[in-house]
Amino acid sequence: MITPFLELRSVSRVYGSGDTEVRALDGVSLAVMPGDFVSIVGPSGSGKSTMLGLLGCLDAPSDGTIVVDGEDVSRVADASRTRVRGRSIGFVFQQFHLIPHLDALSNVETALLYRGIRPGERRDRSLAALDRVGLAHRHDHRPVQLSGGEQQRVALARALVTEPKILLADEPTGALDSKNAANVMEILAGLRSSERAVVLVTHDVGIADSAARKISMLDGRIVSDEVLRP
Amino acid sequence: MSTSRDLTRVAFSGLAARKMRTVLLLLGPMIGVAAIVAAVGLTDSAKGDLKAKVAELGTNLIEASAASAFGQSSPTLPIDAVERAATVTTVESVSSIRQLSNVVVTPYTEALEQFDTVPIPVLAADADLPRVLEVGLVSGRWLDDFDESSRARVAVIGQALAAEFSYLPGENRTVELAGFPYAVIGVLEKVPLEPGFDNAVFVPFAAVADDFLDEDPVEPNKLYVRCQTGTEDLTSEALSVAVGLGGPTQISSEVKSEALELAAESDRQLQLIVVSMGLLAIVVGGLGIANVMSISVIQRSAEIGIRRALGHTRRIIALQFLLEAIAVGVVGGILGVLLGMLAIFVGVSAAGWVFVMAGWLAPAGVALAVVISVLAGSYPAVRAARLEPLETLRLG
């Protein structure tokens, strides 16, 4: 039996209490398997950002169980969630979130800090990751010297350099023109493997349709879960 | 181990990326440490110089003065005080003086109007005074026994007074003491153990009897005694007995070098003030670090969020910010010590002293800067660690 990389069992996330209580996520169950390329789509307020925070171990559920890469992170301390996050998850954000004073290589290397990796190896692996997104020749450029598409590819390299089981992309094409967006989507699709699952969170149905599996959300619940292509 | 190496790299790259801010942060601990190092170093150098001077002058000079006994407004010593003091076996040489008051001194016989308010000490002194004090003459000669026996109106003046009177070496000059003309026959060198002599006029005892006091012979009121080195306290006590014996005279003795050392202690107050100001500068600098780093935490909240998302723990984030503060403390402290040493060097060169700096001063200065920066950095570090990545990353 194949164990899922990500598993949500009846997960709820409630903000506030009493009259101001908001159920951002309401009893959601979901499994993301190795090799999945899933898009989570829905309008703003549908709960997809909350879902992303929980899947990425950035947040803890109010109720239910979350298992990430075989480890139950539902009710563990921040330090444990941080460890699982660093080990199993790579993030790509809409606003890239590169560290502005570091060059592309150092930005990628940041993901490998505090892991007991020697500087030489860290550099080699980071250069390889940059090469994978076609930016090895721009490794000494700082974010301001790169275009939006290039910045997002550096962010992709940073997410990939730790070899995470799960790649979480939050509106990765939201800040890009259509040409760069297509380029980034192409790289994302190419990252699918039996060792990795790619999860894409977006409000853009067109982008969502380019994934292999589409999960549609509304009002904190999953309304459909369809396989678009094998 | 590799974690601390990674932390150090991140902290220094963070500082290097914001050079102007880092320089401003460095100033506080730097100036504070420099002030403290300079204050302590300069007073130590001054003290070291003083000790050297005292060693050179000898510690064996005793001043024995007539103390005020009941009913006596200007107490004096017996007329044979010098002979009495010489009976003490540890005494090597003795000289006596009589300090006068209210003698108006004018540099020229015709210059009374211009100079009549200058308060200048006039002293009767015997022929042995320069030998006992171990000082020489800048020019001319000292008072001798012939001046006494011939009751000559001659005077020797201190070096500073000679300068004030524009007296040239060898010049024939007559000064007026209370209206009596006195011929200047010599200029005395500076007396380090008795700075007041630099501004004094010395005349023979006989002349004092003739012109200023209604007594003859004139009794001395102070003795300068050189004793065998190491017998200062013993000799002081013996002097009180030998000189005061059989009369109403009270003697108060002091070892001159001790008085000089005591005077140096008063410099400690100045040192304390400068050190306090240095401490204040460091504390203000620490507040500056805390303030700037707190703002920096807000500015860098996105960076903190992304680092947390990449798996850096709260502890790592706190340590990263703390280490930036510590780096500021270390570098600021080292620069402060160097700046302080430069200040000591400049001060010592200007004063002609020997450079003295206690061995503990440099490490203590750096340690102080580090302690302050750790205190200043801990609040922003904790704030940085408490930031929730979910809030700073603006998902969706």
Side-chain angles (χ1 to χ4, degrees):
Chain A
M1 197 194 112
I2 305 169
T3 51
F5 276 171
L6 282 173
E7 196 176 2
L8 269 58
R9 287 183 220 134
S10 317
V11 168
S12 298
R13 180 67 173 96
V14 182
Y15 296 106
S17 61
D19 291 345
T20 59
E21 184 180 286
V22 177
R23 298 189 78 81
L25 217 57
D26 194 3
V28 169
S29 294
L30 168 72
V32 176
M33 308 305 288
D36 258 353
F37 181 18
V38 193
S39 63
I40 299 172
V41 68
S44 62
S46 62
K48 61 182 195 306
S49 295
T50 305
M51 177 97 103
L52 178 77
L54 291 169
L55 291 175
C57 298
L58 293 167
D59 196 10
S62 309
D63 206 4
T65 304
I66 299 176
V67 180
V68 175
D69 196 11
E71 201 158 328
D72 187 341
V73 293
S74 322
R75 262 156 285 277
V76 298
D78 181 81
S80 302
R81 256 191 293 130
T82 302
R83 186 175 44 77
V84 173
R85 184 162 70 225
R87 186 194 64 200
S88 305
I89 295 164
F91 286 95
V92 176
F93 302 98
Q94 177 175 11
Q95 298 300 329
F96 325 135
H97 285 317
L98 298 178
I99 297 171
H101 67 262
L102 299 178
D103 63 22
L105 180 65
S106 300
N107 263 290
V108 178
E109 282 185 319
T110 302
L112 293 179
L113 289 170
Y114 317 121
R115 290 164 187 260
I117 300 172
R118 283 179 299 104
E121 187 193 341
R122 185 158 64 210
R123 187 184 158 87
D124 291 345
R125 281 176 64 176
S126 302
L127 276 173
L130 278 173
D131 195 34
R132 218 156 137 190
V133 297
L135 279 176
H137 63 292
R138 305 278 264 168
H139 70 88
D140 57 349
H141 287 58
R142 298 209 291 157
V144 288
Q145 298 166 306
L146 299 169
S147 73
E150 286 171 328
Q151 288 188 57
Q152 194 59 300
R153 278 148 68 196
V154 172
L156 262 168
R158 180 179 62 189
L160 290 172
V161 74
T162 58
E163 300 294 342
K165 295 247 171 68
I166 304 125
L167 187 70
L168 278 182
D170 174 36
E171 301 277 11
T173 60
L176 301 177
D177 59 43
S178 57
K179 184 165 159 279
N180 278 310
N183 181 233
V184 165
M185 284 309 295
E186 199 179 309
I187 294 171
L188 275 179
L191 292 173
R192 269 182 90 179
S193 77
S194 55
E195 306 297 318
R196 184 180 293 119
V198 177
V199 179
L200 175 66
V201 177
T202 181
H203 70 279
D204 185 331
V205 180
I207 294 289
D209 282 342
S210 60
R213 174 183 169 198
K214 182 168 85 169
I215 294 168
S216 302
M217 295 195 65
L218 196 64
D219 297 334
R221 293 187 181 162
I222 293 176
V223 291
S224 76
D225 185 346
E226 47 195 314
V227 175
L228 302 175
R229 50 185 71 83
Chain B
M1 206 65 253
S2 66
T3 299
S4 55
R5 187 195 58 207
D6 288 356
L7 272 169
T8 314
R9 279 165 68 111
V10 169
F12 274 96
S13 84
L15 289 172
R18 301 168 192 80
K19 291 193 181 58
M20 194 62 208
R21 190 197 69 140
T22 304
V23 167
L24 290 175
L25 284 181
L26 284 175
L27 283 179
M30 192 174 103
I31 292 171
V33 169
I36 291 171
V37 167
V40 175
L42 279 173
T43 35
D44 279 0
S45 295
K47 215 188 305 165
D49 179 67
L50 192 81
K51 280 192 181 138
K53 209 180 270 174
V54 166
E56 192 186 317
L57 295 169
T59 54
N60 59 341
L61 184 68
I62 298 169
E63 180 188 298
S65 317
S68 197
F70 180 74
Q72 248 184 316
S73 59
S74 50
T76 55
L77 297 171
I79 189 71
D80 58 346
V82 171
E83 288 74 22
R84 286 172 177 229
T87 62
V88 177
T89 51
T90 51
V91 168
E92 290 177 339
S93 57
V94 192
S95 171
S96 61
I97 62 162
R98 171 67 179 265
Q99 292 160 305
L100 306 176
S101 49
N102 301 322
V103 178
V104 173
V105 179
T106 45
Y108 298 98
T109 43
E110 311 84 13
L112 188 62
E113 275 83 25
Q114 285 81 17
F115 288 88
D116 59 354
T117 56
V118 182
I120 291 165
V122 175
L123 304 105
D126 63 25
D128 292 328
L129 188 63
R131 195 163 55 79
V132 174
L133 295 177
E134 293 175 4
V135 291
L137 287 126
V138 177
S139 66
R141 65 168 178 86
W142 183 251
L143 309 166
D144 60 20
D145 291 337
F146 183 73
D147 296 326
E148 285 288 348
S149 58
S150 63
R151 311 188 83 84
R153 280 181 174 150
V154 291
V156 173
I157 60 178
Q159 204 179 334
L161 192 62
E164 194 181 325
F165 283 0
S166 307
Y167 177 80
L168 301 171
E171 179 190 343
N172 278 322
R173 174 76 73 88
T174 303
V175 295
E176 241 175 46
L177 308 181
F180 297 102
Y182 276 74
V184 175
I185 57 168
V187 176
L188 187 68
E189 273 181 1
K190 273 184 201 259
V191 186
L193 288 170
E194 198 66 278
F197 281 5
D198 210 22
N199 260 311
V201 179
F202 303 88
V203 295
F205 275 90
V208 168
D210 291 345
D211 294 342
F212 310 119
L213 288 177
D214 195 16
E215 52 183 91
D216 194 10
V218 168
E219 292 174 333
N221 67 350
K222 193 185 273 190
L223 298 182
Y224 287 97
V225 178
R226 283 278 177 192
C227 65
Q228 290 164 17
T229 303
T231 66
E232 290 83 2
D233 292 339
L234 198 73
T235 309
S236 294
E237 278 175 41
L239 280 174
S240 302
V241 177
V243 179
L245 195 67
T249 313
Q250 301 270 329
I251 314 290
S252 78
S253 301
E254 63 167 325
V255 179
K256 291 302 285 184
S257 60
E258 278 173 10
L260 205 62
E261 278 165 13
L262 216 64
E265 288 300 299
S266 70
D267 286 351
R268 283 197 174 277
Q269 305 225 335
L270 183 69
Q271 179 183 11
L272 202 69
I273 291 169
V274 180
V275 167
S276 312
M277 276 161 52
L279 281 174
L280 195 69
I282 288 192
V283 169
V284 171
L287 288 174
I289 292 176
N291 184 25
V292 171
M293 289 197 65
S294 295
I295 295 167
S296 167
V297 166
I298 297 164
Q299 285 172 338
R300 292 164 76 181
S301 61
E303 174 188 335
I304 294 162
I306 190 64
R307 285 182 186 277
R308 297 278 287 120
L310 292 172
H312 300 183
T313 56
R314 290 189 194 280
R315 202 176 129 262
I316 288 285
I317 298 292
L319 284 173
Q320 180 197 324
F321 275 84
L322 199 57
L323 216 63
E324 280 195 22
I326 291 173
V328 167
V330 170
V331 177
I334 290 172
L335 289 177
V337 167
L338 292 177
L339 191 68
M341 285 171 76
L342 183 73
I344 299 173
F345 184 77
V346 168
V348 161
S349 307
W353 301 333
V354 178
F355 187 99
V356 176
M357 189 174 146
W360 55 267
L361 201 52
V366 176
L368 184 64
V370 170
V371 167
I372 291 288
S373 60
V374 167
L375 290 178
S378 41
Y379 170 67
V382 167
R383 271 189 58 171
R386 287 209 180 128
L387 281 180
E388 285 293 341
L390 208 55
E391 283 161 25
T392 63
L393 290 172
R394 286 168 293 136
L395 300 180

